[in-house]
Amino acid sequence: MRAELEEQLRSRYPKIFADWDKPLSESGMSFGLQCGDGWFDIIDALCRSLQRLTDEKGASQIVASQVKQKFGTLRFHATDDLDEEQVQLLDDAMTLSSTTCEICGNPGKTLEFKRWRVATRCEEHASE
């Protein structure tokens, strides 16, 4: 993801991305968001909902340890003490990413490239 989009998320959700500057030995966030710009809105909505659960309902504070694309879907790794609502939000974001182009955010589908590379792309970006 482009640095300016990452910075927007970091500034909106400083508690969720509190480990961003930690060394790799402590957090995978030192790699940044390892996915395309097309998933920005999914991650933004996910973080907004997760933080709302913490602020308004007293759910535990989620701290991201790694955010990446794997097998064509969003993987948002975080602290382990998650309640059912938080887990559901993470699952919903992963499901939504499987039908959203990682490059542009338009509707897409999960495609396999050369048997080892899987990505979710729209028709326009299917060859990238």
Side-chain angles (χ1 to χ4, degrees):
M1 185 169 289
R2 289 178 301 160
E4 55 267 22
L5 295 177
E6 289 182 336
E7 187 53 41
Q8 284 182 39
L9 292 169
R10 286 182 70 184
S11 66
R12 289 177 188 172
Y13 312 105
K15 293 177 183 176
I16 292 175
F17 295 112
D19 288 354
W20 194 284
D21 295 318
K22 285 192 173 181
L24 183 56
S25 60
E26 296 179 36
S27 175
M29 287 310 303
S30 59
F31 287 120
L33 301 177
Q34 298 172 279
C35 61
D37 295 351
W39 290 349
F40 173 85
D41 289 338
I42 295 173
I43 296 168
D44 186 42
L46 171 63
C47 290
R48 184 179 328 107
S49 296
L50 290 170
Q51 196 60 54
R52 184 178 301 127
L53 281 177
T54 299
D55 296 343
E56 296 175 6
K57 296 187 177 184
S60 62
Q61 178 62 57
I62 286 186
V63 177
S65 58
Q66 187 175 36
V67 179
K68 65 181 183 177
Q69 182 274 120
K70 184 174 182 179
F71 301 124
T73 61
L74 176 67
R75 304 302 169 98
F76 193 104
H77 299 283
T79 49
D80 292 331
D81 54 340
L82 307 177
D83 67 26
E84 286 183 36
E85 281 186 276
Q86 291 168 319
V87 170
Q88 188 62 56
L89 288 170
L90 294 171
D91 287 347
D92 291 348
M94 184 173 75
T95 300
L96 181 58
S97 71
S98 72
T99 60
T100 305
C101 179
E102 184 183 357
I103 294 175
C104 68
N106 287 329
K109 60 183 179 178
T110 302
L111 305 169
E112 187 175 316
F113 301 92
K114 298 182 183 178
R115 294 183 38 172
W116 55 270
R117 172 93 165 95
V118 179
T120 300
R121 300 286 190 262
C122 64
E123 246 183 71
E124 181 182 343
H125 295 111
S127 63
E128 293 185 33

